Amino acid sequence: MREIVGKDETLDVLCNEHLSIIQKKRGYRFSIDAVLLAAFVRLRKHERLLDIGSGCGIIPIYIARKGCANDMTGVELQKDLFEAAQKNRVINRCEDRVRFINADITAIVKEMKKEPFQVVVSNPPYTRRRSGRTCPDESRRLARYEEKLDIDALTSAVSDLLVKKGRFYVIYPAHRMGELIHAAAVKRLALKKLRIVHPRQNEKANLVLAEFLKDGGMGVTIEEPLYVYNGTELSDEVKQYYLFED
């Protein structure tokens, strides 16, 4: 396995050695947010999944290694991340059900919507274009800032690529939850499930996990809060996300 790991890459072995992920030493590297989102997704038998902004492929590969045999596609703009994702599908032995496309999602919506998906998932850039300090590293900047994909463009692509009553799963900053819900509603995506994420108990929420339904009706389920850490360790629930059945 290690022979395909480049000198500028690392190999991380997770989930009691059931998940192996190659990443660049420098540039964007996936965070725990991707794992939280992957664990939040509900995928029924025979449903096709699309991951927008797939990075190194962590979300569809995580879901595949958990035992899902569904057809999954990841679209990633950055070539370096796409190449890492291609390696990851090989070393995790899921080439038969996971594939990746190196492209700007907004440029391929017209072609991809010919075969829409039942589920779309995204861990998108969190920071508005030209707000805050600009990251000098291009890979991290594109992943963190809405330079190539803002929330309006994302929800537009999601709506176009979902079947009627298809589901959209996303993780997003808590302080931008209003923007997310509004942008989704404009594109006929109705909020159906919401889970607020806190770093620890008695700390302010920093993220939200949300499920939207295309052309869905009224009514939202507010789930129990998710606490990521208990002191300096992962909470018991989040620890379970890293435990795969043998």
Side-chain angles (χ1 to χ4, degrees):
M1 183 186 296
R2 291 189 176 274
E3 60 270 16
I4 72 169
V5 181
K7 293 181 179 179
D8 61 341
E9 296 174 329
T10 62
L11 175 64
D12 299 296
V13 180
L14 310 168
C15 303
N16 45 306
E17 301 187 356
H18 285 269
L19 181 66
S20 300
I21 297 294
I22 293 172
Q23 301 185 82
K24 293 293 183 182
K25 291 179 180 177
R26 296 189 176 186
Y28 176 74
R29 294 171 63 86
F30 83 86
S31 69
I32 195 173
D33 298 7
V35 176
L36 301 182
L37 178 57
F40 184 67
V41 172
R42 295 295 174 263
L43 194 58
R44 303 183 185 113
K45 192 175 182 180
H46 303 308
E47 288 185 326
R48 296 172 59 246
L49 177 146
L50 173 67
D51 179 21
I52 296 178
S54 205
C56 65
I58 177 66
I59 291 176
I61 292 173
Y62 176 100
I63 294 172
R65 295 296 287 162
K66 286 283 277 188
C68 288
N70 302 61
D71 177 73
M72 291 178 272
T73 299
V75 176
E76 173 51 48
L77 173 66
Q78 298 188 55
K79 187 176 181 180
D80 284 353
L81 295 177
F82 163 75
E83 291 174 348
Q86 291 285 67
K87 290 183 180 181
N88 288 327
R89 71 192 281 263
V90 172
I91 65 175
N92 286 283
R93 302 183 301 280
C94 54
E95 305 103 304
D96 60 328
R97 55 197 187 277
V98 177
R99 71 180 183 118
F100 296 102
I101 300 171
N102 183 202
D104 181 338
I105 188 64
T106 61
I108 61 173
V109 166
K110 185 175 180 180
E111 181 63 27
M112 293 193 74
K113 68 188 294 186
K114 295 176 182 177
E115 294 186 62
F117 296 81
Q118 287 77 32
V119 173
V120 176
V121 59
S122 185
N123 178 11
Y126 287 169
T127 308
R128 297 184 190 91
R129 186 185 295 113
R130 292 189 293 275
S131 69
R133 295 178 61 186
T134 300
C135 179
D137 182 274
E138 183 181 23
S139 177
R140 292 178 183 174
R141 187 174 70 249
L142 292 176
R144 294 176 179 175
Y145 290 81
E146 295 179 334
E147 290 192 7
K148 298 292 185 179
L149 187 70
D150 62 21
I151 191 61
D152 293 320
L154 173 63
T155 51
S156 178
V158 169
S159 184
D160 284 342
L161 293 167
L162 276 176
V163 300
K164 184 179 178 65
K165 302 299 182 182
R167 304 186 304 286
F168 172 44
Y169 294 93
V170 63
I171 188 166
Y172 212 61
H175 72 275
R176 299 190 66 189
M177 181 172 67
E179 295 174 63
L180 171 65
I181 295 172
H182 174 74
V186 169
K187 299 301 179 181
R188 298 160 47 206
L189 301 169
L191 180 65
K192 301 305 293 181
K193 187 184 299 181
L194 186 68
R195 191 168 195 193
I196 310 298
V197 182
H198 301 255
R200 297 170 182 81
Q201 290 194 29
N202 302 318
E203 291 186 3
K204 290 184 178 179
N206 62 336
L207 296 167
V208 294
L209 290 159
E211 177 194 274
F212 293 87
L213 187 69
K214 183 176 178 179
D215 296 324
M218 303 293 287
V220 181
T221 298
I222 309 297
E223 297 192 341
E224 292 184 0
L226 173 61
Y227 302 106
V228 178
Y229 294 98
N230 181 8
T232 59
E233 296 186 354
L234 292 174
S235 66
D236 289 343
E237 179 176 350
V238 175
K239 283 180 181 178
Q240 291 299 312
Y241 297 167
Y242 288 89
L243 295 178
F244 284 13
E245 293 182 5
D246 292 323

